[in-house]
Amino acid sequence: MSVIYDPKILLTYGVVAPDSYIGPNGIFPPFNFVVSRNRDGSIASIYEDISWDWSPYVPGRRTSQLNFCYWNNGDLTPDRQEFVSEIRWLMFLIIWMRQGPTYSYQTLSSYLQVFRKLARFCERNSLRIRDVLGEDAVLFKFIKDAGITHLFGVLAILISSLRVLGPEKVGFRVLGGSTCKILRTLATKYEKSHKQYPPIPTRIYSSIITTLMREMSEFEDVADH
């Protein structure tokens, strides 16, 4: 059964919205699906582009890109193309299929920052993004290795949003509510330490994560996954 999904983005007066997606759950849009349009209605970006031009939706029309190229050196290999495909699909889910408020470019850019870091981590460790977002131990290894203490809250929102969509849309099972609670706890600790005291050293955060993971494991049988 086909469903109509409108893009959940902030639109200012005079801009032309991207296309709405009409299709069944869990199916990639066609490669020529229009993800952004210029003010005159012409195509700015399509789904298959490695970078979506979001300039038409940024106040002042500053040059703004949602760039899926996550690596610094080297060519676009088949493996990297696969990661780009994963990131692009997750961003599409967040923008089109998610229910909830509209997002600004700044918010979407912060989400893409997490996905790009995920792809770099997965490439180094011979993993897929679904492996990280589907297993607690792998997720917290990513958090430790990537040093993303300032993005705990963003990661919690992303996991929660994808989890609500469900595996039939996302394409794989996403971690549950107990993981999001841990991430929100870490986000709160970071915010408090950042505002009132010198930032907590990474080794202390590693200890906090280890403790919380142990507590979560002890309650695994009753946790909401």
Side-chain angles (χ1 to χ4, degrees), residues 163-181:
R163 175 175 172 266
V164 169
L165 287 174
E168 68 280 359
K169 289 183 181 178
V170 179
F172 58 89
R173 174 187 168 276
V174 179
L175 288 164
S178 58
T179 303
C180 291
K181 289 177 183 178

Side-chain angles (χ1 to χ4, degrees), residues 54-78:
W54 225 247
S55 306
Y57 308 128
V58 176
R61 285 179 280 181
R62 298 189 305 274
T63 301
S64 304
Q65 302 286 326
L66 294 175
N67 189 354
F68 307 120
C69 179
Y70 64 88
W71 60 93
N72 296 321
N73 300 298
D75 299 325
L76 177 59
T77 64

Side-chain angles (χ1 to χ4, degrees), residues 43 104 108 129 163-164 171 174 207 212:
I43 297 173
S104 67
L108 293 175
I129 291 178
R163 175 175 172 266
V164 169
V174 179
S207 177
L212 288 171

Side-chain angles (χ1 to χ4, degrees), residues 161-203:
S161 297
L162 294 173
R163 175 175 172 266
V164 169
L165 287 174
E168 68 280 359
K169 289 183 181 178
V170 179
F172 58 89
R173 174 187 168 276
V174 179
L175 288 164
S178 58
T179 303
C180 291
K181 289 177 183 178
I182 289 177
L183 292 172
R184 292 190 186 102
T185 298
L186 292 169
T188 299
K189 289 180 180 293
Y190 174 81
E191 286 297 322
K192 288 181 178 179
S193 68
H194 186 70
K195 291 179 180 179
Q196 299 176 15
Y197 309 100
I200 297 176
T202 301
R203 61 183 178 79

Side-chain angles (χ1 to χ4, degrees), residues 125-185:
N125 293 275
S126 300
L127 297 167
R128 307 310 307 180
I129 291 178
R130 65 174 60 207
D131 298 326
V132 182
L133 299 182
E135 295 185 33
D136 288 312
V138 184
L139 174 70
F140 286 104
K141 184 179 188 304
F142 160 66
I143 291 173
K144 290 180 182 180
D145 290 0
I148 58 167
T149 54
H150 62 298
L151 294 174
F152 282 135
V154 173
L155 190 54
I157 292 171
L158 285 176
I159 289 177
S160 179
S161 297
L162 294 173
R163 175 175 172 266
V164 169
L165 287 174
E168 68 280 359
K169 289 183 181 178
V170 179
F172 58 89
R173 174 187 168 276
V174 179
L175 288 164
S178 58
T179 303
C180 291
K181 289 177 183 178
I182 289 177
L183 292 172
R184 292 190 186 102
T185 298

